[in-house]
Amino acid sequence: MAINVSAANYQAAQLRGYADRLQQAANELNSYKTSLAASWQGSEVPYMLQGVDKTIAQIDAAMRELRNIANDVDHTAAAIKREDDAAAAAARARAEREQRIAAAQKAYNSACDDLAELTKRYEAIRDKLKKTPGLYEKYKNELKKLEADIKQAEKKCDACKNALNAARG
């Protein structure tokens, strides 16, 4: 799940701004309460002060809630971002592994094809020699070269197989 962390942080900042405005309102109510208590002497004043205190308490609760929500937005956005980054890194790692495996598989297939071609040429000469043994001298050097090439191709095929197994993990 992709998330725009900047947008989430902006929204959290807006929530904190609302909480700051509520703080200003609570401060103004406190000033009003102080002024009311100092300026007015009546039996209804304690009830009015109690109502102002209740309103300030409600504003304080709303401020705390807004700040908590803002913190939750920040933390959640950061957590989602970390998860997204981890998922992207894992996807890159999988893709790189698949590329390594594909390259190793291609090298192994090529080495095996080369070995098969050399073996096929070697067997074709051997079949000729079975039918016509007198041609041995003519093909002796080519057979030796093919035998050496086949041994090299076998080593390369084995090395490529090991590399493929290593790439597969």
Side-chain angles (χ1 to χ4, degrees):
M1 169 197 319
I3 186 166
N4 183 342
V5 176
S6 297
N9 289 339
Y10 175 76
Q11 290 173 341
Q14 281 184 313
L15 292 172
R16 286 186 187 90
Y18 299 146
D20 291 344
R21 285 192 219 152
L22 286 174
Q23 180 66 56
Q24 289 171 353
N27 291 342
E28 289 174 13
L29 276 174
N30 263 327
S31 293
Y32 174 74
K33 178 182 147 187
T34 302
S35 176
L36 181 64
S39 303
W40 199 347
Q41 303 295 323
S43 60
E44 67 280 1
V45 171
Y47 297 110
M48 292 172 69
L49 296 178
Q50 186 179 16
V52 171
D53 284 338
K54 185 176 180 182
T55 302
I56 290 171
Q58 290 172 337
I59 290 172
D60 286 343
M63 279 185 331
R64 280 191 305 277
E65 188 65 25
L66 283 172
R67 288 194 172 111
N68 286 339
I69 291 170
N71 289 337
D72 288 347
V73 168
D74 284 339
H75 292 128
T76 302
I80 291 171
K81 177 74 169 127
R82 282 190 302 276
E83 289 173 8
D84 286 350
D85 290 349
R92 281 191 304 276
R94 277 191 307 275
E96 289 169 3
R97 180 178 181 268
E98 289 170 6
Q99 287 175 344
R100 284 191 308 275
I101 290 171
Q105 183 70 56
K106 183 177 178 181
Y108 176 68
N109 291 346
S110 176
C112 289
D113 290 346
D114 291 347
L115 175 59
E117 183 59 34
L118 290 169
T119 303
K120 182 179 172 182
R121 285 177 33 207
Y122 181 83
E123 292 299 326
I125 293 172
R126 297 281 291 168
D127 287 345
K128 272 187 191 178
L129 292 176
K130 283 181 187 174
K131 293 177 186 170
T132 316
L135 296 175
Y136 180 74
E137 284 301 316
K138 178 181 177 183
Y139 290 106
K140 180 171 83 170
N141 290 336
E142 188 176 348
L143 281 173
K144 286 185 181 191
K145 180 167 179 1
L146 281 171
E147 287 171 355
D149 289 347
I150 287 171
K151 284 185 183 185
Q152 283 300 106
E154 286 172 340
K155 288 179 183 177
K156 183 177 179 182
C157 194
D158 286 342
C160 288
K161 183 178 182 180
N162 291 337
L164 176 59
N165 287 333
R168 287 180 176 157

